[in-house]
Amino acid sequence: TQLLEQSPQFLSIQEGENLTVYCNSSSVFSSLQWYRQEPGEGPVLLVTVVTGGEVKKLKRLTFQFGDARKDSSLHITAAQPGDTGLYLCAASNTGKLIFGQGTTLQVKP
Amino acid sequence: DSGVTQTPKHLITATGQRVTLRCSPRSGDLSVYWYQQSLDQGLQFLIQYYNGEERAKGNILERFSAQQFPDLHSELNLSSLELGDSALYFCASSVRTLSGELFFGEGSRLTVL
């Protein structure tokens, strides 16, 4: 059983479409991070959310932390081929930083 | 470039063998983390060191061991290798333990034949 459940697992969309990916848990976290991983590379941090209900924007990416700090979402507006990659959420649990299984996003031109 | 260096990038070996993966953290980072990434298991936390001492342990097999040296570089030793050990092994570093951003290396791809 994954502590962090991400959905969907795979997403293939056309350039210009909007999308939302989710990261859910039954546990409460003090903070949650989102990373993006491209083929052949390690994950790179996109954002850290700390406060319940917090919304952070990074250009066309909008991140939200749930009010109860158990879940988070990532919304991408007008997706571009450069957004293609594996999106991972991560949170600290019993002294370890654990990751969800990830959402693989493919944006077709 | 994250500043974290991992060697080797690729490694092909046979079952039963032993390999050592090496990681140099970013300059100034005291914490080193090891993760295993496979298609079916995702990114799994193995172990974390902070300034030479083990800080947290995940689902690391007894056949695997790691250490962090005084110069802060770290090594992950994998022994009695099995086919299922084939995976990408990532090292990450951070300034402190579990605070802020983890910086990942490009990974070492291990193939066990």
Side-chain angles (χ1 to χ4, degrees), chain B residues 12-67:
Chain B
I12 301 174
T13 188
T15 54
Q17 295 298 305
R18 171 191 169 95
V19 299
T20 297
L21 309 180
R22 194 178 191 279
C23 170
S24 293
R26 284 191 328 155
S27 176
D29 284 359
L30 300 178
S31 276
V32 169
Y33 310 76
W34 285 98
Y35 286 85
Q36 179 193 58
Q37 188 176 41
S38 58
L39 282 174
D40 57 343
Q41 292 291 323
L43 200 59
Q44 297 290 312
F45 172 75
L46 295 178
I47 198 163
Q48 181 213 343
Y49 283 85
Y50 177 77
N51 204 19
E53 294 190 4
E54 182 183 305
R55 273 303 175 94
K57 215 167 187 176
N59 299 323
I60 187 167
L61 299 171
E62 286 191 11
R63 300 184 286 108
F64 296 0
S65 65
Q67 54 184 326

Side-chain angles (χ1 to χ4, degrees), chain A residues 33 35 37 95-97 101, chain B residues 35 37 41-42 57 98 100 102:
Chain A
Q33 297 178 330
Y35 288 77
Q37 183 179 12
K96 310 158 196 171
L97 188 69
Q101 289 276 74
Chain B
Y35 286 85
Q37 188 176 41
Q41 292 291 323
K57 215 167 187 176
L98 283 183
L102 258 60

Side-chain angles (χ1 to χ4, degrees), chain A residues 42-107:
Chain A
V44 175
L45 181 70
L46 295 173
V47 77
T48 301
V49 285
V50 178
T51 307
E54 180 178 5
V55 176
K56 279 192 173 178
K57 292 193 174 184
L58 186 65
K59 296 183 181 178
R60 294 175 293 99
L61 278 59
T62 302
F63 303 84
Q64 184 162 8
F65 201 14
D67 291 341
R69 291 183 287 124
K70 292 183 178 182
D71 53 80
S72 181
S73 63
L74 158 59
H75 181 80
I76 301 179
T77 303
Q80 298 178 2
D83 297 326
T84 292
L86 176 66
Y87 289 82
L88 296 155
C89 63
S92 177
N93 177 261
T94 60
K96 310 158 196 171
L97 188 69
I98 57 159
F99 285 79
Q101 289 276 74
T103 293
T104 299
L105 172 65
Q106 181 187 42
V107 182

